[in-house]
């Protein structure tokens, strides 16, 4: 009797939350598949499937009540963000199996796309703490923005396929359509009035698809990386686009960069704002955003 109780206590309980349509739904990840990588002798596993936007938040909150050792998000940055948002400053560790289209955070954490290797990281149980960004009451782990990137994500979401080609199409259409916004920024003891074309705040060094606006960002340095680009002419927009695609944003002279712990953003001419937060589109019913960093807010299973 006593031995079997100890056996149960030693087993790691892992709760998986799978987004079945991540990465165009080509991953076929199910409980049966996961059981091949997590033996019944060592692991107790449970699996839930998220079926709509924000469903993973509900599933995570429910999973937390069962007190698992790890909750593993199986999806892209959006799914990871939904699961991780409920684990801020919690005792439960976040695991990631990247099966989305972008996977910027997983890439920054050196978590491979191959299920075999991603599972091994979870089985090994090594963790590290990373910082978390918070924009008003929304958490982000990779990045957020209220400039052109918000419009890009809005358009990208409307395409049938979430591919790099769709992303580039959305970027070109957005750069023609997007009008810079009168913006008041307050950070690092300065106030800046500008017309912002790109206003991007990042915790991680990759956006997904191998692209980055903040290649030097570090997930646990206690700082967020701000990239600000004001009004641009057509030629400058083309240059910016090629710099982003070739990961040479630091060579784009019109981009201002700063390291921040917090920033206040106000768009006086608007009453609501389009934003992208970890690659998901939001319409915020306000023209003011406070962004702060929560240092070491999340414990993640990683190499």
């Amino acid at each position: 009797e006593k031995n079997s109780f100890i056996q149960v206590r030693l087993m790691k309980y892992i709760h998986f939350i799978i987004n079945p349509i991540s990465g165009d739904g080509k991953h076929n990840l199910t409980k049966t598949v996961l059981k091949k990588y997590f033996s019944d002798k060592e692991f107790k596993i449970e699996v839930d499937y998220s079926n709509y936007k924000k469903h993973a938040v509900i599933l995570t909150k429910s999973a937390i009540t069962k007190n698992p050792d790890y909750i593993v998000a199986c999806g892209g940055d959006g799914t990871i963000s939904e699961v991780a948002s409920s684990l801020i400053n919690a005792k439960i560790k976040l695991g990631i199996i990247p099966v989305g289209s972008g996977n910027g955070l997983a890439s920054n954490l050196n978590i491979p796309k191959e299920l075999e290797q991603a599972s091994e990281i979870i089985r090994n149980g090594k963790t590290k703490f990373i910082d978390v960004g918070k924009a008003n009451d929304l958490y982000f782990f990779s990045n957020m923005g209220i400039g052109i990137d918000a419009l890009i994500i809005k358009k990208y979401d409307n395409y049938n396929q979430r591919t790099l080609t769709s992303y580039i199409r959305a970027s070109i259409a957005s750069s023609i359509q997007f009008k810079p916004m009168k913006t008041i920024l307050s950070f690092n003891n300065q106030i800046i009035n500008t017309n912002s074309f790109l206003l991007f705040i990042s915790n991680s060094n990759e956006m997904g698809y191998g692209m980055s606006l903040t290649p030097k960002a570090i997930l646990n340095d206690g700082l967020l990386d701000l990239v600000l680009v004001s009004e641009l002419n057509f030629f400058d927009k083309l240059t910016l686009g090629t710099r982003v695609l070739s990961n040479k944003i630091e060579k784009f002279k019109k981009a201002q960069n700063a390291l921040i712990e917090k920033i206040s953003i106000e768009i006086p001419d608007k009453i609501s704002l389009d934003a992208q937060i970890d690659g998901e589109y939001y319409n915020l019913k306000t023209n003011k955003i406070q962004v702060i960093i929560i240092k070491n807010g999340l414990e993640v299973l990683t190499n």
Side-chain angles (χ1 to χ4, degrees), residues 175-178 197 232-242 252:
S175 71
I176 294 163
Q177 188 185 332
F178 185 77
F197 176 75
L232 297 177
N233 61 34
F234 179 72
F235 179 74
D236 286 335
K237 286 179 189 177
L238 284 179
T239 309
L240 175 61
T242 54
F252 187 69

Side-chain angles (χ1 to χ4, degrees), residues 81-248:
S81 188
E82 286 187 25
V83 173
S85 290
S86 303
L87 298 178
I88 310 292
N89 294 327
K91 293 278 178 278
I92 300 166
K93 301 166 178 72
L94 173 74
I96 296 172
I97 294 180
V99 290
S101 37
N103 300 317
L105 184 64
S107 180
N108 196 171
L109 286 162
N110 296 319
I111 298 171
K113 279 188 163 181
E114 291 74 27
L115 183 55
E116 172 69 58
Q117 285 127 299
S119 302
E120 192 181 345
I121 287 170
I122 294 162
R123 289 195 303 268
N124 289 345
K126 265 177 64 180
T127 64
K128 78 172 189 183
F129 282 90
I130 66 167
D131 301 327
V132 177
K134 192 178 186 191
N136 288 355
D137 55 354
L138 296 164
Y139 297 106
F140 63 95
F141 305 89
S142 285
N143 60 68
M144 60 86 55
I146 58 158
I148 186 173
D149 56 320
L151 183 60
I152 291 171
I153 294 295
K154 190 178 184 179
K155 288 188 178 298
Y156 178 59
D157 277 355
N158 290 330
Y159 294 139
N160 292 332
Q161 288 182 304
R162 297 193 75 153
T163 60
L164 179 56
T165 310
S166 299
Y167 190 84
I168 292 168
R169 267 179 66 201
S171 302
I172 292 165
S174 300
S175 71
I176 294 163
Q177 188 185 332
F178 185 77
K179 300 279 180 286
M181 305 177 295
K182 188 172 157 191
T183 309
I184 304 163
L185 302 173
S186 172
F187 64 94
N188 295 355
N189 299 319
Q190 58 182 329
I191 293 174
I192 292 178
N193 284 280
T194 185
N195 285 327
S196 57
F197 176 75
L198 175 73
L199 201 169
F200 183 82
I201 297 167
S202 187
N203 185 41
S204 91
N205 68 6
E206 194 182 306
M207 297 188 295
Y209 298 122
M211 291 186 289
S212 182
L213 287 170
T214 54
K216 295 190 173 80
I218 299 166
L219 286 167
N220 55 0
D221 62 352
L223 295 162
L224 295 167
D225 290 46
L226 167 70
V227 182
L228 177 65
V229 177
S230 298
E231 278 184 279
L232 297 177
N233 61 34
F234 179 72
F235 179 74
D236 286 335
K237 286 179 189 177
L238 284 179
T239 309
L240 175 61
T242 54
R243 290 280 186 266
V244 172
L245 284 170
S246 60
N247 270 340
K248 296 196 171 87

